[in-house]
Amino acid sequence: MTDKNMKNALRMVLQLLINIVILLLLLQVFTWAYNFSYKVFTDNALNPNSTKEVEFVIQPDSSTIEIVDDLVEQGLVADKYVMIAKIYLSSYHGKMMPGIYVLSPSMSEDEILKEISRTGGEEE
């Protein structure tokens, strides 16, 4: 094999390896996007068998991110970014009311959003 043929063969192998790496990266990105979208558009409870109740407080002038951080911190939802996407894509965006709510990890994300968006929450 000549030097020129060896260089061409190495170039082709390197190009093939680069294409495989790019393909694997694209596959990972599409898998992550599918899983994220699936979580956003399905309605799941963190722990459907839980009987625990949590007193959840929304302060006046709390931002959506602060509310979601508190939901995650108190063990009511699993994924901060999924919940934020769910809120921004739903009719609940901007409708969460300050107050004290009794929530549970057995409640679905939509049930939690419905509860904290209603006007019947206890006032502080």
Side-chain angles (χ1 to χ4, degrees):
M1 207 177 222
T2 66
D3 222 19
K4 188 175 182 180
N5 288 341
M6 184 63 85
K7 284 182 181 180
N8 285 338
L10 286 174
R11 184 176 295 129
M12 286 176 42
V13 168
L14 184 60
Q15 207 169 21
L16 179 64
L17 288 174
I18 290 171
N19 288 339
I20 290 172
V21 168
I22 290 171
L23 182 65
L24 290 174
L25 287 173
L26 283 172
L27 184 63
Q28 285 289 39
V29 168
F30 286 129
T31 302
W32 176 85
Y34 172 81
N35 288 333
F36 184 81
S37 299
Y38 181 81
K39 290 175 188 175
V40 169
F41 293 108
T42 56
D43 191 28
N44 297 315
L46 181 64
N47 184 359
N49 300 322
S50 176
T51 57
K52 177 181 165 186
E53 290 187 339
V54 176
E55 188 175 273
F56 184 73
V57 179
I58 298 179
Q59 301 293 334
D61 299 326
S62 291
S63 71
T64 298
I65 293 174
E66 291 170 336
I67 293 169
V68 172
D69 282 339
D70 290 343
L71 286 168
V72 171
E73 186 178 302
Q74 292 190 23
L76 296 166
V77 296
D79 191 322
K80 171 183 177 176
Y81 300 105
V82 168
M83 192 64 165
I84 290 171
K86 191 176 282 259
I87 290 169
Y88 281 105
L89 293 172
S90 72
S91 61
Y92 298 115
H93 182 258
K95 295 182 181 176
M96 291 175 278
M97 303 298 291
I100 302 171
Y101 302 92
V102 178
L103 305 175
S104 170
S106 65
M107 296 172 77
S108 71
E109 294 160 338
D110 284 341
E111 289 173 331
I112 290 172
L113 288 173
K114 186 181 287 186
E115 184 70 23
I116 64 178
S117 297
R118 67 180 177 86
T119 56
E122 295 178 31
E123 290 298 316
E124 294 184 88

